[in-house]
Amino acid sequence: MTVFKDLGWRLLATYWLVMTAILGTSALAIYLRFVHVVNAQLDARLTTLAESGRPSLVALKSEGQDALLRQEMQWPRLLHRDQQGLTWYNDRKISLLDQGTVFVDLPPDTGANPGRSIILSPNTRSVLLAVPSATNAGQIEGYVLATESTHRVERLIRQLRLGLGIGGLVALSLSSLGGMLLAHRTLEPTQRSYKKLKQFTADASHELRSPLTAIKFSLDVLMKHPERIHPKNTRKISAISSATDQMITLVEDLLFLARSEVAADTQDTSKETQTSIYKILQGLLTLLEPQAQSKTITFESVLIPDVTILGDEAKLTRLFSNLLDNALQYTPAGGSVKVRMEKSVKSVFITFEDTGIGIAPSQIRSVFRRLWRTDRARNRRDGGVGLGLSIAQAIAQQHNGKITVSSRIGVGSCFRVRLPLAKASVEQFEMTAIPLDRRRTADQPLRG
């Protein structure tokens, strides 16, 4: 069933978006936390290395490099020469000695913290420690710079990104499968209830036909013998007859919708044939010409011959009849109703445009709802039950088509039907559309 399929896909899409947001947020939090921890560990390691090199600065300045060979220092045990570097500077930031293999130039600005600064460079990360003078308070003896290559850290981060990406895709795939199962189980009770409701509607409509037919028959017999009717009861019987006709129409429409939905569910194509849209519209315009003349409504049409679709001719006739009847009912005297056919590569478009009362923008989405009509329409039209447009849309959808609406209050409405062309019409697409002069008024005869 189309409505439940669409609802299922919307539920699945919503579930998928929620899961994507949750997994994405979690992955981002893990990634940022991992990067922070790895960089913090690297800074701690470099700080320890720089601290171990502080005691060597005074000896290096006073005795030169030979002093480092005579003293037992801690930094040689901490320094990984293939990945790190250790540099000593004097108070003027002039390099005194380099140890290791990774070095960077000391920037002029050592950072906001005069005691410890972190220096970021391409492919390296450094910690700079200031060494205070032991004799002169407030004086700087020099600086120790510990540097390490970030290749290993970047490799770990890349591996984490890859793992999070693959894990996220796997999690989303499993979530999608779970979402499909969840959406199916969520909609299953509703589908069962809906099927029962449809069956009840069909059964009730079918059962109501017989008593309503009997009532109508009895009323017709009674009205054929007015001498048997008391004059005071004439209006009452007429009202009963009118209400009976309305009830019969309602029952027939409900029964038609119920049968149409069953046919759509079972994809029944037994009655589909090559159907000429031109012939259907031609016949309906001829049939409704007297009704238009009685209201002095102008019919204007541009039709294209040799346009066929694969469909049920009776249902398509009802579709276009409902739209034309709707246009005539809501168009005031002296107005116009235009019917126009257009053809694309794979579709035919039939437009019904009137100069009627129009529909408010906020109500356009509701025009195809069953038993719905605007208050203004209820004041203007008697006898309708509000199922005509619902039936038209249902028929269009059964033929893989669609009806769209545009309208302006006080200007009129435009209903546009799109239907897929039959193969024969697609092959003849290069033929030029032949407009027919079907502009007619109440004083002009109908042209065949």
Side-chain angles (χ1 to χ4, degrees):
M1 191 177 301
T2 303
V3 62
F4 284 104
K5 285 183 179 178
D6 293 342
L7 182 58
W9 282 115
R10 287 197 294 268
L11 285 174
L12 180 60
T14 303
Y15 178 80
W16 189 83
L17 287 174
V18 171
M19 291 303 300
T20 300
I22 294 173
L23 292 174
T25 303
S26 301
L28 181 61
I30 292 172
Y31 175 78
L32 294 177
R33 180 60 181 171
F34 179 82
V35 171
H36 173 75
V37 170
V38 168
N39 286 329
Q41 291 176 349
L42 177 56
D43 292 340
R45 189 163 57 248
L46 290 174
T47 300
T48 302
L49 178 60
E51 289 281 1
S52 68
R54 266 181 172 181
S56 303
L57 179 62
V58 177
L60 186 62
K61 290 179 64 178
S62 61
E63 302 180 32
Q65 299 183 16
D66 294 339
L68 298 182
L69 300 176
R70 294 193 298 269
Q71 297 181 11
E72 185 69 23
M73 298 293 178
Q74 185 181 8
W75 62 263
R77 295 191 298 272
L78 299 176
L79 179 64
H80 299 278
R81 295 181 178 273
D82 58 334
Q83 299 177 6
Q84 296 176 328
L86 192 62
T87 305
W88 289 268
Y89 295 89
N90 62 17
D91 56 344
R92 291 178 304 217
K93 298 182 181 178
I94 298 175
S95 176
L96 302 176
L97 180 65
D98 295 327
Q99 293 290 312
T101 57
V102 182
F103 308 104
V104 294
D105 295 330
L106 185 65
D109 184 9
T110 58
N113 185 352
R116 177 178 179 269
S117 300
I118 296 176
I119 302 171
L120 302 178
S121 301
N123 302 321
T124 62
R125 192 178 183 94
S126 306
V127 171
L128 179 68
L129 292 183
V131 181
S133 174
T135 56
N136 298 322
Q139 294 292 323
I140 298 296
E141 192 73 34
Y143 301 90
V144 180
L145 180 67
T147 304
E148 183 172 328
S149 171
T150 57
H151 288 303
R152 187 177 66 87
V153 172
E154 290 172 354
R155 185 173 65 254
L156 291 174
I157 293 175
R158 285 196 300 270
Q159 291 174 350
L160 175 66
R161 284 201 295 262
L162 179 62
L164 289 175
I166 295 175
L169 290 176
V170 172
L172 283 177
S173 300
L174 295 176
S175 297
S176 299
L177 293 176
M180 293 176 65
L181 180 61
L182 182 62
H184 175 73
R185 291 188 175 179
T186 301
L187 292 176
E188 192 173 6
T190 307
Q191 284 182 291
R192 287 198 299 267
S193 300
Y194 185 71
K195 288 180 179 179
K196 291 179 180 178
L197 179 61
K198 285 199 305 181
Q199 188 62 45
F200 170 78
T201 302
D203 294 343
S205 300
H206 181 76
E207 293 299 325
L208 284 171
R209 293 175 71 186
S210 297
L212 285 172
T213 302
I215 294 172
K216 179 62 178 174
F217 178 77
S218 300
L219 287 170
D220 290 341
V221 171
L222 185 62
M223 294 181 72
K224 287 181 181 179
H225 302 277
E227 70 278 1
R228 301 179 182 178
I229 304 174
H230 193 281
K232 292 182 179 180
N233 296 329
T234 302
R235 287 188 178 182
K236 297 178 181 179
I237 292 176
S238 297
I240 294 173
S241 178
S242 176
T244 303
D245 290 337
Q246 190 171 359
M247 283 295 297
I248 291 174
T249 301
L250 174 60
V251 168
E252 292 292 340
D253 287 347
L254 288 173
L255 190 57
F256 178 87
L257 283 172
R259 289 172 176 173
S260 298
E261 289 171 346
V262 171
D265 292 344
T266 58
Q267 297 183 343
D268 183 13
T269 59
S270 59
K271 296 183 180 180
E272 291 186 353
T273 58
Q274 295 282 345
T275 304
S276 171
I277 300 298
Y278 171 79
K279 290 182 179 179
I280 293 176
L281 292 174
Q282 180 96 329
L284 288 174
L285 290 171
T286 303
L287 179 65
L288 295 175
E289 177 70 13
Q291 184 179 343
Q293 289 180 345
S294 66
K295 296 182 65 175
T296 63
I297 293 176
T298 302
F299 262 161
E300 300 177 22
S301 63
V302 178
L303 306 182
I304 307 174
D306 303 322
V307 174
T308 61
I309 73 167
L310 186 64
D312 186 326
E313 184 173 351
K315 290 183 178 180
L316 290 171
T317 301
R318 185 160 190 177
L319 186 161
F320 299 134
S321 175
N322 285 1
L323 292 177
L324 272 173
D325 181 65
N326 182 77
L328 288 173
Q329 290 290 345
Y330 297 140
T331 300
S336 65
V337 174
K338 301 176 183 178
V339 182
R340 184 174 65 256
M341 287 178 62
E342 297 171 292
K343 189 177 178 183
S344 67
V345 178
K346 295 182 178 181
S347 301
V348 60
F349 299 88
I350 306 97
T351 303
F352 299 84
E353 187 175 356
D354 63 60
T355 56
I357 59 178
I359 306 169
S362 61
Q363 298 175 329
I364 285 181
R365 290 186 177 182
S366 302
V367 296
F368 296 110
R369 282 169 43 194
R370 299 180 183 183
L371 306 176
W372 182 91
R373 286 184 299 174
T374 63
D375 292 337
R376 295 183 65 191
R378 290 182 184 277
N379 295 332
R380 288 285 305 273
R381 182 182 180 185
D382 294 326
V385 295
L387 288 174
L389 293 180
S390 300
I391 292 174
Q393 184 72 291
I395 295 173
Q397 291 174 350
Q398 287 176 27
H399 290 80
N400 298 317
K402 187 178 181 180
I403 305 177
T404 56
V405 188
S406 59
S407 183
R408 291 176 60 188
I409 293 291
V411 177
S413 303
C414 179
F415 289 78
R416 184 176 174 87
V417 183
R418 179 190 62 79
L419 295 170
L421 287 170
K423 185 177 181 181
S425 290
V426 173
E427 293 174 350
Q428 296 176 357
F429 175 70
E430 65 275 6
M431 296 178 59
T432 305
I434 304 175
L436 298 184
D437 182 12
R438 290 188 55 91
R439 183 180 296 270
R440 311 192 304 277
T441 64
D443 300 326
Q444 293 177 322
L446 177 66
R447 297 182 184 179

